Amino acid sequence: MTSIDKILIANRGEIAVRVIRACRELGIQSVAVYSEADAHSLPVHLADEAICIGPANARESYLNIPAIISAALLSGAQAIHPGYGFLSENADFSEVCKEHGLAFIGPPPDVLARFHDKAATRMAMKQIGVPVISGSDGPVRGVAEALRIAEAIGYPVMLKAKAGGGGRGMRKATSPSELQRLWPQAASEAKASFGDDGIYVERCLEGVRHVEAQIAVDESGRGICLGERECSTQPCVSVIATSGRSSSLSIRRTGRTSSR
Amino acid sequence: MNSRIQVEHTVTEVTTGMDLVKEQIALASGELLSFSEEQIWVSGHAIECRVNAEDAEANFAPSTGVLTTWLAPGGPGIRVDSHCFQGYEVPPYYDSLLAKVIAWGRDRAEAVARMQRALDEFTIVGVTTNIPAHKKILASELFRAGQVTTHLIDTVGVDALAG
């Protein structure tokens, strides 16, 4: 049981404001960190303390692990809330927090590391009996193997970066010739964006609904699902509308969850 | 899979009455979940629109500048999560999210009507936003009929959205 009375928020914008609001309601002190470009921002104004961690470029501020850890230790915070984006899914950051006795408000490093690799995540889900879209078992070694898998599962297929996110390193192929043409693009974009050119293949589902579920798990391993959200308009052009109840779906629970 | 708080956590919050950031903090303190799935009561329907500083007519390029007018909506069923205020300068270095507008209604139709009303009220001068695009989606027959798939934007048409 870690007693938390001061939290550093390693983020900016609306999510930093959101976390500060929760802290204030709980009687927890909040520490905002900010780049030089955000000196006159709302999180800086609302937080109990604010510490500048570097210049505008996120690499030197919001992604600067030593500066953020120093700010946390300097301020006496016991925990860091990473918000979303930036360092929120960074296993190394979660590990460094732990090493410095700071609680990372999010999953432990090993869970973040596992979910960082989407091909490995697919395999882990499959092993515990969660249905996944048909596709390759792990990353594909080359275009020849990708063609074989695509033939077996049927076109169209998606080529996806195993370290990917935000749609980068992702290509849709509707035929073998297109797959051959797009493979190097997907691999080089994955390498450039994520430093990892591992690609896996998955059947592309069209005209479907994108529905998300929110899961929370405590230290004992007990988990709950907090309803579902319809996010179908999300992938395109940053135009997003989501709703609390999908009008088409009732989630059937498998009755079995991961040991985590 | 997102192993972090989600941008759309607000939708879950307004339909369950829970505060997910507080729950995260409690879990990080080593507390155990204080409720079971059976105790979560989902009420009504909610929609979130991300209001971004981007120019739909210039292929959704980010738009930056000083917010000379910022008049955010409110009233029944509306929540606005934002870091913006009148006079705030939107910097060019980060993502283009200005605000999340969340509308709650007893049913989907009421949530949609409230969202449309809120977006009509929302007045932002100084940057170009995607509010017109949101309004077009909300007004489209397909969206109103609940026929939402990942192809909706293609069907409604990005060009139509930009117009």
Side-chain angles (χ1 to χ4, degrees):
Chain A
M1 199 82 166
T2 330
S3 173
I4 296 176
D5 59 32
K6 195 185 256 192
I7 292 175
L8 179 139
I9 299 108
N11 215 303
R12 63 177 301 283
E14 70 85 20
I15 193 63
V17 172
R18 171 72 188 87
V19 178
I20 292 167
R21 285 175 171 156
C23 290
R24 183 66 48 88
E25 290 175 25
L26 290 168
I28 292 173
Q29 297 277 303
S30 54
V31 183
V33 293
Y34 63 97
S35 75
E36 287 166 6
D38 281 334
H40 303 288
S41 67
L42 196 54
V44 170
H45 175 72
L46 290 178
D48 295 302
E49 293 171 40
I51 299 174
C52 183
I53 47 165
N57 185 338
R59 284 190 187 287
E60 298 172 66
S61 48
Y62 298 106
L63 294 169
N64 183 342
I65 295 177
I68 292 168
I69 297 289
S70 303
L73 297 175
L74 194 72
S75 66
Q78 299 92 11
I80 295 186
H81 196 300
Y84 53 72
F86 294 126
L87 296 170
S88 62
E89 295 177 89
N90 185 311
D92 292 336
F93 181 57
S94 172
E95 184 71 52
V96 174
C97 286
K98 206 171 158 186
E99 283 166 10
H100 288 84
L102 297 161
F104 175 84
I105 303 179
D110 61 315
V111 173
L112 288 175
R114 193 187 307 168
F115 287 132
H116 180 68
D117 181 339
K118 294 191 170 178
T121 306
R122 269 177 59 85
M123 288 302 292
M125 291 298 128
K126 236 173 139 172
Q127 275 159 15
I128 58 165
V130 175
V132 296
I133 299 168
S134 53
S136 59
D137 289 333
V140 172
R141 273 179 292 276
V143 70
E145 190 183 339
L147 285 165
R148 263 201 313 281
I149 291 162
E151 200 58 48
I153 62 174
Y155 287 91
V157 297
M158 295 300 292
L159 308 178
K160 290 186 176 179
K162 77 178 174 75
R168 282 168 300 167
M170 200 161 97
R171 291 289 186 282
K172 175 180 154 188
T174 54
S175 66
S177 59
E178 201 174 26
L179 192 156
Q180 271 176 309
R181 185 168 62 78
L182 296 174
W183 177 269
Q185 287 180 23
S188 63
E189 193 173 296
K191 180 81 183 166
S193 303
F194 313 109
D196 182 339
D197 63 0
I199 301 282
Y200 66 98
V201 178
E202 204 172 69
R203 175 74 197 240
C204 174
L205 302 179
E206 294 186 291
V208 294
R209 290 171 185 251
H210 166 175
V211 178
E212 295 183 348
Q214 182 118 30
I215 311 286
V217 181
D218 66 23
E219 278 190 353
S220 76
R222 194 164 76 92
I224 54 162
C225 174
L226 297 150
E228 68 223 34
R229 292 183 300 247
E230 158 75 60
C231 301
S232 298
T233 61
Q234 188 167 313
C236 298
V237 299
S238 310
V239 179
I240 295 112
T242 69
S243 52
R245 243 177 226 167
S246 169
S247 41
S248 70
L249 180 95
S250 73
I251 291 183
R252 195 162 47 82
R253 299 202 169 84
T254 59
R256 193 172 156 229
T257 49
S258 154
S259 57
R260 256 292 168 200
Chain B
M1 180 78 71
N2 300 135
S3 37
R4 51 152 168 84
I5 188 82
Q6 286 172 298
V7 183
E8 298 81 15
H9 72 277
T10 55
V11 166
T12 306
E13 288 186 331
V14 299
T15 51
T16 60
M18 294 176 60
D19 185 317
L20 296 180
V21 176
K22 284 187 194 167
E23 292 297 334
Q24 279 192 302
I25 293 169
L27 292 178
S29 312
E31 288 178 30
L32 301 181
L33 287 165
S34 56
F35 50 87
S36 68
E37 242 168 72
E38 291 70 37
Q39 290 171 292
I40 301 165
W41 180 253
V42 176
S43 157
H45 196 99
I47 303 174
E48 176 182 290
C49 286
R50 294 193 206 177
V51 175
N52 292 342
E54 59 191 16
D55 189 350
E57 288 183 48
N59 200 23
F60 294 91
S63 170
T64 60
V66 175
L67 302 173
T68 52
T69 301
W70 178 265
L71 189 60
I78 297 298
R79 166 175 167 181
V80 179
D81 277 23
S82 175
H83 58 294
C84 294
F85 50 87
Q86 191 141 322
Y88 175 67
E89 185 173 0
V90 179
Y93 313 103
Y94 313 108
D95 71 49
S96 58
L97 183 65
L98 296 177
K100 303 189 300 203
V101 181
I102 303 97
W104 179 88
R106 285 164 296 179
D107 53 29
R108 187 173 187 270
E110 187 176 53
V112 171
R114 280 180 167 162
M115 180 61 85
Q116 289 181 304
R117 188 265 296 166
L119 294 180
D120 281 341
E121 281 178 24
F122 212 154
T123 311
I124 302 170
V125 180
V127 296
T128 308
T129 78
N130 62 351
I131 288 177
H134 280 302
K135 287 187 186 172
K136 288 208 166 93
I137 291 176
L138 291 166
S140 73
E141 282 303 318
L142 283 173
F143 187 85
R144 301 194 76 79
Q147 300 297 309
V148 189
T149 74
T150 51
H151 275 179
L152 180 74
I153 308 288
D154 296 340
T155 316
V156 175
V158 173
D159 292 340
L161 295 175

